[in-house]
Structure formats: structure tokens, C-alpha cells
Amino acid sequence: MLPAVKMSTTAQKTVLQFPENFLWGTATSPTQVEGHVENEWTSFTAQDGGHCRIACDNYHRYPEDIEWMSRLGANAYRFGLEWSRLQSAPFAALNQNELARYIHLLDCLKAKGITPMVVLHHFSNPPWINAAGGWTNATTIPAFVDFVRQLVAALKERVFLWNTFNEPDTYACVAYLLGGFPPQRKWKLGQFRKVIEHMARAHEQAGRVIQRDGHAGRKPEVGIAKNWTFFHAYKRFSPWDRTTAFACHYTFNKFVLDAFLGGGRRRASTFIGLNYYGRVRFHHFRAMIPASGTPVKTLKDFGFVCDDMVERYPRGLVKILTYLHRKFRLPVYITEHGAASSDEAFRERDLRDNLTALHRAMAGGVEVRGFFYWSLLDNFEWQFGYTKKFGLLAVDFADEKLPRTMKPLAEVYAQICRTNALGADPAGPKPALD
Amino acid sequence: MAGEEVAGLRAREQSPSPPASSNQAAGHGVPLNNNHSSAKAAKLCGSR
């Protein structure tokens, strides 16, 4: 039975109410916010000269950051447990000091009424995994499953939402095809496929462990977070544009989804996590997005509406949610959505349009249980460093104290969290982004 | 875990690397190990 999604029948007809118990959260990842990590990103220098060795110092400041979540009125938080902190060798016992810190973090969340969703892999590995070839090596699978087994035993009283892999497609693509993430390989299609296949097998085994051993009062839930980007041809009848778009869709969407959720592997998941940002259109083999180096002015001339990263495409959210619902019949969490831009009005419009699309999909029968805004904080955005500002909270990286301040969008999101509804835009209706 | 224990935990934590108190590498603004071609790499799937 799907939870009720109602359109308000009061005078404010544009208020969109979400179901009771809907999760409104924010999201982060260890490498991007914690600082003091020892993984492949520690020695990595981003395009802006930045590194992740301090980041937001969330490692020490998590109580303050949880206080900020509470002020937002969020009732959920998606964050990662850094494998390299917790295990020093394959099959070693978990580091009890580091485990105690995560347990304290979880207890702080509970004290504020915030439900945790933990991510077990978010673009980083321990050094001893990388030294053995990372996820191109099949021996990483049992090592990861052992890590998960120990975590489930240690945390099942505090955690019931388990997110095994964050965007395996992005990880394998940017690390082994585009050369943007460590180990910075380029066009190694065989390694890309191996990474996906090994991660999918690890997810299948870890999912069974979580469902078997993770019961502690509440039934555990497990799933991956699939980044879904639409790949479209700019010119519908251009064979070049179409071929590129189809190749990307096939490789990053269909192949990956089939690997993780096809056949018997579907049973390893109880939900689908969806990271949704928008689409990429191709023109003469070129990805027409700012993140690929296409100038913003050029994109504007083409009529593309983008944030700092990709083209916005809110109606695509209805399409992909409906597709996933019909194909897999699993509940969905929007594990990430956000926009990187210094234009807060644009970000508000993006959030409103995407939540309107989400509500429409839910009204059409798709079971969505939560929405996590990416991100709580401005943070280390991988190869782009500190130039991409996804945070609800700004972090002043020029100040050693790394002070956090609310951005205007945080006030908007707080209102949504507190009312469990998307209210009418006080500035009046605006044309949709797409 | 008591607050004091967490404070102790933090005190014991040895920050592994940062030589400076900022997030900027030495040679500010110059990519050290991230070659320029990768800077232009199309980030087709996003990378949050």
C-alpha cells in the first residue's frame, strides 16, 4: 500500500504535502567533509589546488554539524563510514576508537531525532585495497563483505538504512575512463566493466548479509545509490549526437543497472537510491555541460539551463522514477539532489521544480520514502576542489576555524522539512527550468 | 560513549597529513598530480 500523497485542497492549492514519515535529509561523504583521511584522495590535488586533508573538519565538528541539521528541521542524514579509518588490513578487526567516534555520531543524531542512512563506499578505498588494484581485483569483494559483516554486527542497533555503494557508475567512469579520480586511468573500458561487475557482486553479498544479520527491532533496508543522468542528442536526427548519447546511456545507465539489479541480484536490494541531477546533451560528440569545459555563454546561446555542473531537467525525475518503479517495483529514496551555483535564486527554483516533479511521480504511484539534499556543507568536490558550492551551509575555507553559515536556500529547505510540504513560492510562479 | 571519552579520542587523533592549516596545496592553485587534460575531462555522470 502506497502512502498517501495529497494535493492541498485549501486556498493555497499549490502546497504539495508529502506523506507522513517522509524523510527529509541532507547528505555528505567522508572524503569530502571529514578531513584527516588516509585514502587515495589524501595526496590528490584538485584543479583549484585544493586537497581534502582538512576539508570541513567534520571529523571533529560533527556535533556542530548535527546541530545545524537540527536547526534545518531535517529528520534524516546520509553520510559515509570511511573504510580506511575502520580497517587497517584485509579481514582485520575494526578500529575501536574510530568505531566509537561513529557510534557517538549516530547517538548524537538519535538524540536530535535524525534517522541515519549510512554509505559504505563513496569513491574511496583503504590504501591496502588500492595497492592490490582496487575494484579491478576480485579479492576486494570478500574484503568488503567482511567489512560490512563487522559493521552490521556493531551498528545494527543504531542503523537500519544501509547504502552499499554510492554511484558505482560515476566512480568507475571517472576513475577508469575519464581519468579524473584516482587512479586516473583513461579509456580502460575493460577495467571499467570489471569494477562494475565486482562492485555488483559485492553489493549482492553485502545486501544478503545486511538483510540476514541486520535485524534489531526494525527490518533493515539496503540499496545502492545509482546516479541517473539522461544522455540525449542535441539534434534529434544527427547520427553523431545520437550515437554518443546512446553509447553513454547504454554504458552508464543500462549496463550498470542490469549489473546491480538484474536477474537474481534484485533480491539483494530492498530499495533503490537515486542520485538525480539532470541531463547531458551531446552536440558533435561534445557534452554540453559546464563540467566538461563548455563555456556557460555557449550553453546559454544553445538555450541550456545549467548549474555549475549539468543541465537541469526536472521533468526527467518523473520519467526515471516511473521507469524504476515499473521495472523493479522497489521503493526509492532520492539519495541526492542539489545544485552548485552562487545564484541562490536559481538553486531555489531548481529545488522547487525537482520537488514538484517528485511529488508528481509519487502521486502517480511511485513509492518514494525520502529526499536527501546534496549537500549539508560546501565541501571538497573531488577533482574540482572547492569551486563547486553545493552546500545548504557555506563554509569559509579562508578562515582556519571553518565557520558555517546558513545560505538563503537553507531557509527554504528548512521550511520544507518542518512542514513536510512544498509551499507556494512567495515570489510568485516562475517558468519551470524544463 | 561519554563526552570526555570522545574528547580524549579527538586528542589522540593524529591528523595524518596537513602541513598547513588550509585546504590549499603548496604551490597554490597549481594542480600537482591532476593533469590538465583530465581537468577538461567530460564529467558525464556527475561526481558528487
Side-chain angles (χ1 to χ4, degrees):
Chain A
M1 177 92 178
L2 295 174
V5 178
K6 292 181 291 189
M7 185 84 83
S8 170
T9 53
T10 65
Q12 288 182 288
K13 288 191 176 174
T14 51
V15 172
L16 303 179
Q17 191 71 43
F18 285 78
E20 200 180 342
N21 300 324
F22 193 79
L23 294 183
W24 291 105
T26 60
T28 63
S29 85
T31 302
Q32 292 177 278
V33 300
E34 284 186 356
H36 322 287
V37 288
E38 289 258 36
N39 61 32
E40 64 269 58
W41 292 94
T42 309
S43 59
F44 182 91
T45 303
Q47 292 163 18
D48 67 345
H51 59 70
C52 68
R53 297 196 286 272
I54 297 170
C56 307
D57 194 29
N58 167 271
Y59 183 84
H60 295 109
R61 297 168 197 230
Y62 62 88
E64 176 192 344
D65 289 336
I66 291 170
E67 192 61 46
W68 282 110
M69 291 173 215
S70 184
R71 278 187 223 175
L72 286 175
N75 62 5
Y77 178 44
R78 176 176 176 262
F79 69 101
L81 304 174
E82 175 63 20
W83 190 4
S84 62
R85 286 195 197 290
L86 288 160
Q87 260 187 325
S88 57
F91 308 102
L94 298 182
N95 179 312
Q96 291 303 303
N97 281 347
E98 298 294 350
L99 183 63
R101 194 192 69 90
Y102 280 124
I103 286 174
H104 184 252
L105 188 161
L106 288 163
D107 288 346
C108 290
L109 289 171
K110 187 180 180 186
K112 295 289 185 185
I114 298 171
T115 299
M117 174 184 280
V118 298
V119 184
L120 303 174
H121 186 276
H122 197 133
F123 300 169
S124 65
N125 304 304
W128 42 273
I129 288 288
N130 291 320
W135 286 92
T136 62
N137 187 338
T139 62
T140 297
I141 299 169
F144 179 78
V145 175
D146 170 71
F147 169 59
V148 175
R149 186 178 293 115
Q150 293 193 56
L151 274 180
V152 170
L155 302 180
K156 65 182 177 183
E157 309 286 341
R158 293 173 171 85
V159 176
F160 74 95
L161 290 172
W162 301 85
N163 199 176
T164 52
F165 288 94
N166 176 74
E167 298 189 9
D169 44 331
T170 303
Y171 174 73
C173 169
V174 185
Y176 291 93
L177 296 180
L178 302 179
F181 290 0
Q184 297 187 281
R185 304 271 159 74
K186 288 195 171 182
W187 305 115
K188 304 291 183 190
L189 192 59
Q191 292 186 6
F192 168 87
R193 294 176 71 94
K194 264 190 187 174
V195 168
I196 293 298
E197 179 56 26
H198 292 159
M199 284 185 162
R201 281 163 55 187
H203 169 72
E204 182 180 21
Q205 294 177 34
R208 287 186 179 147
V209 167
I210 290 166
Q211 291 184 64
R212 187 191 64 212
D213 301 342
H215 285 266
R218 185 158 181 177
K219 192 177 173 188
E221 297 182 31
V222 57
I224 61 162
K226 170 75 180 81
N227 172 58
W228 188 277
T229 300
F230 283 95
F231 299 102
H232 289 164
Y234 175 65
K235 288 195 174 169
R236 217 169 152 190
F237 299 108
S238 158
W240 320 117
D241 297 5
R242 286 174 66 100
T243 302
T244 316
F246 177 78
C248 287
H249 170 74
Y250 186 87
T251 308
F252 304 127
N253 288 336
K254 187 178 185 313
F255 170 69
V256 175
L257 216 49
D258 286 349
F260 280 86
L261 287 156
R265 287 210 179 126
R266 182 192 167 284
R267 286 193 292 275
S269 300
T270 68
F271 71 82
I272 297 173
L274 176 65
N275 292 2
Y276 182 74
Y277 289 84
R279 72 173 165 179
V280 175
R281 279 192 276 181
F282 291 94
H283 185 47
H284 298 164
F285 299 115
R286 184 169 195 177
M288 302 294 282
I289 51 173
S292 71
T294 308
V296 172
K297 185 180 178 316
T298 306
L299 295 169
K300 276 190 179 161
D301 291 345
F302 274 81
F304 290 9
V305 182
C306 304
D307 74 338
D308 289 357
M309 305 287 275
V310 296
E311 188 182 355
R312 300 286 108 179
Y313 187 47
R315 65 193 160 97
L317 185 55
V318 183
K319 289 186 192 178
I320 181 57
L321 283 171
T322 306
Y323 171 78
L324 292 173
H325 172 67
R326 288 181 181 159
K327 189 169 173 69
F328 298 109
R329 298 281 166 187
L330 288 169
V332 176
Y333 291 90
I334 306 297
T335 34
E336 288 182 21
H337 175 78
S341 169
S342 55
D343 182 347
E344 287 291 285
F346 173 83
R347 294 177 80 210
E348 178 178 347
R349 199 169 143 211
D350 171 79
L351 177 62
R352 287 183 174 281
D353 284 0
N354 278 279
L355 288 181
T356 301
L358 169 61
H359 192 276
R360 190 177 307 141
M362 293 170 74
V366 183
E367 185 183 358
V368 181
R369 295 181 175 177
F371 177 93
F372 295 82
Y373 194 84
W374 184 270
S375 174
L376 175 69
L377 303 166
D378 284 346
N379 60 47
F380 176 75
E381 176 59 30
W382 311 111
Q383 73 271 45
F384 300 106
Y386 294 91
T387 56
K388 308 297 181 193
K389 309 289 190 187
F390 280 98
L392 292 170
L393 302 176
V395 178
D396 183 356
F397 293 106
D399 185 331
E400 281 189 19
K401 293 177 181 166
L402 298 168
R404 283 82 155 129
T405 49
M406 296 261 280
K407 296 186 197 177
L409 186 67
E411 304 284 0
V412 174
Y413 194 59
Q415 180 71 10
I416 293 165
C417 293
R418 291 187 194 121
T419 58
N420 193 29
L422 177 65
D425 185 346
K430 299 183 182 73
L433 288 173
D434 197 312
Chain B
M1 186 167 58
E4 304 79 58
E5 287 178 85
V6 173
L9 172 73
R10 288 181 204 154
R12 287 196 300 278
E13 190 266 335
Q14 299 293 311
S15 300
S17 43
S21 58
S22 86
N23 279 305
Q24 292 298 313
H28 175 82
V30 182
L32 300 179
N33 67 342
N34 191 19
N35 62 41
H36 287 280
S37 53
S38 77
K40 285 196 162 188
K43 198 174 133 307
L44 300 179
C45 339
S47 68
R48 280 69 48 186

